[in-house]
Amino acid sequence: MADGSATLPSFESVNAFVQNYNFPYTWESESHYEAELLGALRAVYGEGNVSRQQAESGKRYDLMVKGAARLELKLPSAKAELDRMETQVQRYMDSGGLRVIVVILQHEYKNRQDIFDSRSRLQQRGAIVHIK
């Protein structure tokens, strides 16, 4: 399926895949989570349909599924990182086009209330947020 002939992506299918995806390892780095999810998405949607650190109109998305969604992963260790991520995601959403799926990896940052508050604010703005 690496030839790009895999299932064509839609926002709904990408969102369902991310929602149901369970990272088998606990990584110390956000970039490792990005690489793992990149490989998993490419296995389903084809290598040519999923890219990492894709720049578009001055913004850099962690992962981008061609024609379907932008993904932002965050492994926060402090509230300030959640705040910056919210601002970044809002800029992505303001640019129009593809919808945004946020994955917050919670094992580093122990204040769950901050994570839940951030999810709530992002969802109110129209982002889809999954906490893992």
Side-chain angles (χ1 to χ4, degrees), residues 78-95:
K79 186 176 183 316
E81 293 176 38
L82 288 169
D83 294 340
R84 279 193 303 276
M85 183 255 320
E86 285 183 45
T87 301
Q88 181 180 10
V89 170
Q90 186 62 54
R91 281 196 328 260
Y92 295 166
M93 293 172 59
D94 289 347
S95 68

Side-chain angles (χ1 to χ4, degrees), residues 33-43 50-52 63-64:
Y33 285 101
E34 288 174 19
E36 182 182 323
L37 189 54
L38 173 72
L41 286 165
R42 282 181 170 173
V50 185
S51 57
R52 183 175 185 192
L63 300 174
M64 194 166 176

Side-chain angles (χ1 to χ4, degrees), residues 23-30 32-34 36 75 107-108:
F23 292 93
Y25 301 104
T26 299
W27 301 105
E28 298 300 318
S29 164
E30 189 175 299
H32 287 92
Y33 285 101
E34 288 174 19
E36 182 182 323
L75 176 62
H107 70 83
E108 288 284 315

Side-chain angles (χ1 to χ4, degrees), residues 55-73:
E56 176 187 81
S57 303
K59 296 163 188 68
R60 185 172 298 278
Y61 309 107
D62 289 341
L63 300 174
M64 194 166 176
V65 181
K66 187 177 183 179
R70 302 173 184 123
L71 288 90
E72 182 65 29
L73 283 77

